[in-house]
Amino acid sequence: MVMKTPALQLMEISRPDHKLLQLILRNAPGTYQHSLQVANLAEQAAEQIGADTLLTRVGALYHDVGKALNPVFFIENQAPGSPNPHDELDPVSSAQIIIKHVTDGLALAREHRIPVRIQDFILEHHGTMLTRYQYINAVKAANGDEDQVDAELFRYPGPRPQTRETAILMLADGSEARLRAERPTSEAEIRRLVKDIIQNRLTNGQLDDTDLTLADLDTIADSFTATLRGIYHPRIEYPKLEPSPAPASDPEPTRPIVTR
């Protein structure tokens, strides 16, 4: 049986002046903004399928708290044009630093007495997925031979999402990050990317431990698309107007008639 976290406690720890949220804001401002975006995205989807909206929102605010301990290793905290420290690391070391934000986040949450239900969002938001960028680089370094690469060195510890709420966060986190990187220019592109993220997590078995239905996933995709459309404001293609011919000018402008 899942223990319910009181709403008042959730509201209290969601206050922007909470010490742990302030730590994220000060140390990793890019991560803080990402978490706000993901919280909005996940909350709206949770409402659409009847999940716990407050729990989902608060879990989203804290899901990446571990990044506050090593912010420069995460792209949203890197200044444009600055060197990426991962470029100087081998794929395994790079992956281990990325993966560590989960265990670092759990340690911070426990230290600040964050409820266990919120700790679940920290642990489950990547499930047991691979840090794919680093894994692909490792395979390339092995001349394309996957048998020479230990995939477990690139795998998040999990567990996979156990509830609808943590599953929604996983999908929202992946969708927001993907769209932030690719900057889609139309609603159709947004929907395609969202659907791709959902299908990827589904195919990889990351949603197997939840009771989400295919109908729920369609509703979540619709909700994400609508919310992300508002965030990214895809360019509207306006019809082109042919320039109107300039009006003929009078050789002598008409003077106003003055009456006395």
Side-chain angles (χ1 to χ4, degrees):
M1 180 178 178
V2 177
M3 186 176 295
K4 190 173 179 63
T5 305
L8 284 177
Q9 186 180 15
L10 291 175
M11 293 173 67
E12 180 65 26
I13 65 173
S14 69
R15 289 169 53 96
D17 60 354
H18 189 281
K19 286 177 64 175
L20 200 45
L21 292 181
Q22 283 293 304
L23 177 69
I24 306 173
L25 177 60
R26 290 194 307 271
N27 289 12
T31 296
Y32 185 83
Q33 291 302 320
H34 161 71
S35 297
L36 288 177
Q37 300 278 38
V38 171
N40 291 333
L41 194 60
E43 180 183 27
Q44 294 296 321
E47 182 177 17
Q48 291 298 314
I49 68 166
D52 189 326
T53 56
L54 180 59
L55 178 67
T56 303
R57 179 173 185 82
V58 179
L61 291 176
Y62 283 94
H63 79 282
D64 270 344
V65 62
K67 292 181 178 180
L69 298 185
N70 287 293
V72 73
F73 286 96
F74 299 92
I75 192 166
E76 67 266 24
N77 299 307
Q78 296 170 5
S82 64
N84 188 332
H86 288 282
D87 293 341
E88 304 300 321
L89 299 173
D90 64 90
V92 172
S93 298
S94 176
Q96 291 301 307
I97 290 173
I98 296 291
I99 290 169
K100 195 170 183 289
H101 86 272
V102 171
T103 51
D104 282 345
L106 180 62
L108 285 170
R110 287 174 173 171
E111 178 186 342
H112 288 81
R113 300 179 181 275
I114 300 300
V116 172
R117 290 294 306 279
I118 301 303
Q119 294 177 28
D120 291 341
F121 286 83
I122 297 171
L123 285 172
E124 297 172 18
H125 75 279
H126 285 296
T128 56
M129 299 287 290
L130 298 178
T131 54
R132 188 150 185 80
Y133 179 80
Q134 285 78 15
Y135 176 73
I136 290 174
N137 282 342
V139 172
K140 287 179 179 177
N143 296 317
D145 186 357
E146 291 192 55
D147 291 336
Q148 299 299 315
V149 179
D150 183 358
E152 297 309 305
L153 295 174
F154 301 87
R155 192 178 302 282
Y156 283 99
R160 299 179 301 195
Q162 302 295 299
T163 64
R164 292 189 298 170
E165 289 79 11
T166 55
I168 290 170
L169 171 64
M170 169 184 272
L171 299 175
D173 185 42
S175 296
E176 198 279 336
R178 175 88 174 268
L179 270 76
R180 179 161 34 87
E182 297 191 18
R183 293 288 176 179
T185 59
S186 69
E187 181 175 339
E189 289 183 13
I190 291 176
R191 184 176 297 277
R192 178 180 58 80
L193 293 180
V194 168
K195 287 278 193 178
D196 187 53
I197 289 291
I198 293 174
Q199 186 60 45
N200 175 267
R201 303 307 187 262
L202 193 60
T203 302
N204 279 279
Q206 297 301 308
L207 307 180
D208 288 358
D209 297 333
T210 74
D211 61 359
L212 286 174
T213 66
L214 292 177
D216 288 335
L217 294 177
D218 284 341
T219 300
I220 290 169
D222 290 341
S223 178
F224 283 2
T225 300
T227 304
L228 290 167
R229 182 183 61 208
I231 294 173
Y232 287 95
H233 304 294
R235 191 178 189 86
I236 299 173
E237 294 186 9
Y238 292 101
K240 293 183 178 179
L241 295 177
E242 295 297 329
S244 301
S249 57
D250 292 331
E252 293 186 9
T254 305
R255 297 182 179 178
I257 300 173
V258 180
T259 58
R260 296 184 183 274

